[in-house]
Amino acid sequence: MSNPPVRTQPSVFILVAMSALGPIALNIFLPSMPGLARELAVDYGTVQLTLTFFLVGLGVAQLVYGPISDRWGRRPVLLWGLGIYCIGSIACVLAPSISWLMLGRILQALGGCAGLVLGRAIIRDLYERDRAAGMIGYVTMAMSLAPMLAPAIGGYLDGLYGWRTSFAFCSLAGVAVFAWVVLTLPETLTERGLGEGAAALLRGYAELLRSPVFCGYVLQTAFTSGVFFAFIAGAPFVVVTVMGEPASSYGLWFIVVSLGYLTGNFFTGRFAVRLGVDRMLVCGAIVQLFGTGALALASWLGPLSLPGIFLPMAVVALSNGLVLPNGIAGAISVNPRAAGAAAGLSGALQMATGAAAAALVGNGQDRDPSQYPMIWTMLGCGILSLLVFVVAAKFRTSRS
């Protein structure tokens, strides 16, 4: 039975706003990382940890927000999350040291993840399955403007007033969304349960991880995410420190990458039903290797240039738009009774792989201050993504 509708349904705009806080916090800070390393007198690998810890926080939080909100309701859990986000953002603004900044970034991630997870949950509370899918699609498309514009905004603010201004922007956005939720967002969960409990959740995760088919889908999406996060970890250093470009240049060119991702998602929406998940995945893996290979060739055969970095990365981002939606759809279809656990576990593993790739790039660039640690990490993750697909395809064939 579906839940009865609440008296006042929330606007789609508030769902977009609360879902966008996490992606904004993730991306707005990227152009400022090289300058921050100089100001706080730390190596670039240490600054990279602010990205790594953010991704770890996002991954962990995805596993817990759903069950907690099932028991206590969407609205109170969301408000707690938004409050944590605001506190973390303010801590980043005031950070006197890199350790303080890392703590603030963790709080930002733990709080910002609330909007991402609970936005989808609220939509599921309000709408039947088919319309809910459409609404989630609209929210996702609108929310994609956040990672597209955030680096450009961050680079501009950094050039004017320094890196702390980006976190001040996040603080103001968090406070505004918090007030918006308090004033207009009703509770949408009409029947609160006791939740599955930690033991039941762990058993569900263990069952999924014993499935080769599930692991194939999840590992391919995880390594695909690793390619992307290796780029966003290393590209600001390459653009600002190695090439000597202003931080604003990174932010503006990143829009090209976001357009590539939007194009990939468009192709998925247009052709996924016709071609099927597995064909879309192999197409995405091949396109990804083409993009990373083009980036490597552009770096080896001539002097570094912004088009030589960002145009191949736009191809890689297009492949992300092909792989991620189809890989997640495949993963949550392995066991429909555990679709929620599969979605949470898939998201957590993506963030964990992204965090590992970001840390690897940061450590590599401390030893070799060039573009090559980023490129080698991207190529490695891309090759692993394709190999996982090939191995997992054999299990999917035998299963069918």
Side-chain angles (χ1 to χ4, degrees), residues 39-108:
E39 182 173 330
L40 296 184
V42 295
D43 57 60
Y44 193 70
T46 302
V47 174
Q48 290 277 15
L49 291 177
T50 62
L51 173 61
T52 299
F53 288 151
F54 190 96
L55 296 176
V56 170
L58 281 179
V60 171
Q62 288 191 58
L63 297 174
V64 300
Y65 269 119
I68 291 175
S69 70
D70 286 340
R71 179 167 185 174
W72 300 106
R74 315 298 188 206
R75 177 182 162 91
V77 174
L78 176 61
L79 289 174
W80 274 102
L82 292 175
I84 293 171
Y85 176 88
C86 293
I87 293 171
S89 299
I90 294 171
C92 291
V93 174
L94 303 176
S97 66
I98 191 66
S99 299
W100 187 290
L101 183 62
M102 288 179 188
L103 176 61
R105 289 290 279 171
I106 293 172
L107 292 176
Q108 263 194 324

Side-chain angles (χ1 to χ4, degrees), residues 9-59:
Q9 291 190 355
S11 164
V12 67
F13 297 108
I14 193 172
L15 299 178
V16 170
M18 67 192 218
S19 300
L21 288 178
I24 287 174
L26 171 65
N27 289 280
I28 197 170
F29 175 58
L30 299 177
S32 300
M33 290 197 298
L36 173 65
R38 292 191 299 268
E39 182 173 330
L40 296 184
V42 295
D43 57 60
Y44 193 70
T46 302
V47 174
Q48 290 277 15
L49 291 177
T50 62
L51 173 61
T52 299
F53 288 151
F54 190 96
L55 296 176
V56 170
L58 281 179

Side-chain angles (χ1 to χ4, degrees), residues 256-352:
V256 178
V257 177
S258 298
L259 290 174
Y261 182 65
L262 286 175
T263 303
N265 278 280
F266 172 78
F267 287 158
T268 291
R270 185 72 181 271
F271 299 112
V273 175
R274 185 186 310 173
L275 298 179
V277 164
D278 290 348
R279 288 181 180 176
M280 295 295 292
L281 287 174
V282 71
C283 289
I286 293 171
V287 171
Q288 181 170 252
L289 279 183
F290 176 80
T292 52
L295 176 58
L297 284 175
S299 300
W300 291 332
L301 297 180
L304 288 174
S305 67
L306 292 174
I309 292 173
F310 285 93
L311 293 181
M313 186 57 203
V315 176
V316 174
L318 186 150
S319 75
N320 273 231
L322 298 176
V323 171
L324 296 182
N326 288 285
I328 293 171
I332 64 176
S333 300
V334 170
N335 183 356
R337 294 175 300 174
L345 187 57
S346 177
L349 290 175
Q350 285 181 54
M351 294 301 104

Side-chain angles (χ1 to χ4, degrees), residues 130-195:
D130 292 340
R131 192 175 178 198
M135 289 297 296
I136 291 174
Y138 288 133
V139 170
T140 301
M141 289 183 64
M143 194 187 69
S144 64
L145 292 174
M148 180 187 297
L149 299 177
I153 295 172
Y156 178 76
L157 293 175
D158 180 86
L160 289 179
Y161 306 110
W163 60 269
R164 296 180 191 272
T165 316
S166 295
F167 292 119
F169 181 92
C170 291
S171 302
L172 292 174
V175 170
V177 174
F178 183 92
W180 196 358
V181 169
V182 169
L183 295 174
T184 65
L185 185 70
E187 177 57 64
T188 59
L189 184 64
T190 57
E191 297 180 6
R192 302 186 187 184
L194 296 178

